[in-house]
Amino acid sequence: MTEDDKELLRLAAKAYWGDEIDDVVSIELSEYENAILYMHPDNQDHNGKDVAMRWNPLEEDGDAFGLAAKLNIFPEVDDEMGWVTVVIGIQQILQQKIRGDVLDACRIVITRAAAEIGRKMP
């Protein structure tokens, strides 16, 4: 995982969990898992012990599209031009070139958009 990917994940997690981080949710970047590991009181095993869950919207469709739904990020696919576009607010446009897999491009642009939202949070 590149340093850029780590920063994208950290900022996207900030946007996704917001004020819950450190109060309700704990997050940790895991080099081994190539993802954010998070613990939330809702994630427990059959004995009631908290369980760390893997989260990486750059790689997992469910994580990316859950992130998009929570943050109202609406990717627009333009197959003809070969881009996936997301508009943040009224002035910022993010685009990701489709290189074979449209879902990969969607995951990337969603995570980038969430990171921009996270970057603007206190």
Side-chain angles (χ1 to χ4, degrees):
M1 182 177 346
T2 69
E3 290 301 317
D4 287 342
D5 289 348
K6 291 176 192 176
E7 183 68 1
L8 282 176
L9 287 179
R10 186 185 68 75
L11 289 169
K14 182 178 180 181
Y16 188 70
W17 283 291
D19 292 339
E20 290 185 339
I21 295 176
D22 296 331
D23 289 336
V24 178
V25 176
S26 64
I27 64 170
E28 172 187 342
L29 185 64
S30 170
E31 293 281 339
Y32 176 74
E33 291 284 338
N34 203 31
I36 296 259
L37 296 181
Y38 72 95
M39 294 184 77
H40 189 282
D42 292 341
N43 302 334
Q44 297 182 342
D45 65 12
H46 63 282
N47 293 320
K49 181 178 178 188
D50 290 344
V51 176
M53 304 294 286
R54 184 180 188 279
W55 185 79
N56 187 340
L58 290 170
E59 296 179 357
E60 300 294 330
D61 292 345
D63 293 340
F65 295 109
L67 182 61
K70 184 169 185 177
L71 298 177
N72 295 315
I73 297 170
F74 303 105
E76 185 177 317
V77 177
D78 184 340
D79 286 325
E80 190 173 307
M81 297 300 290
W83 292 96
V84 177
T85 304
V86 168
V87 177
I88 303 172
I90 59 172
Q91 295 184 352
Q92 190 169 11
I93 297 173
L94 297 175
Q95 290 186 309
Q96 182 65 42
K97 183 77 174 154
I98 299 171
R99 292 187 169 85
D101 184 2
V102 69
L103 290 178
D104 184 50
C106 286
R107 289 191 307 270
I108 293 168
V109 80
I110 288 167
T111 306
R112 288 177 51 214
E116 286 301 315
I117 293 168
R119 190 180 320 278
K120 294 174 183 168
M121 294 172 71

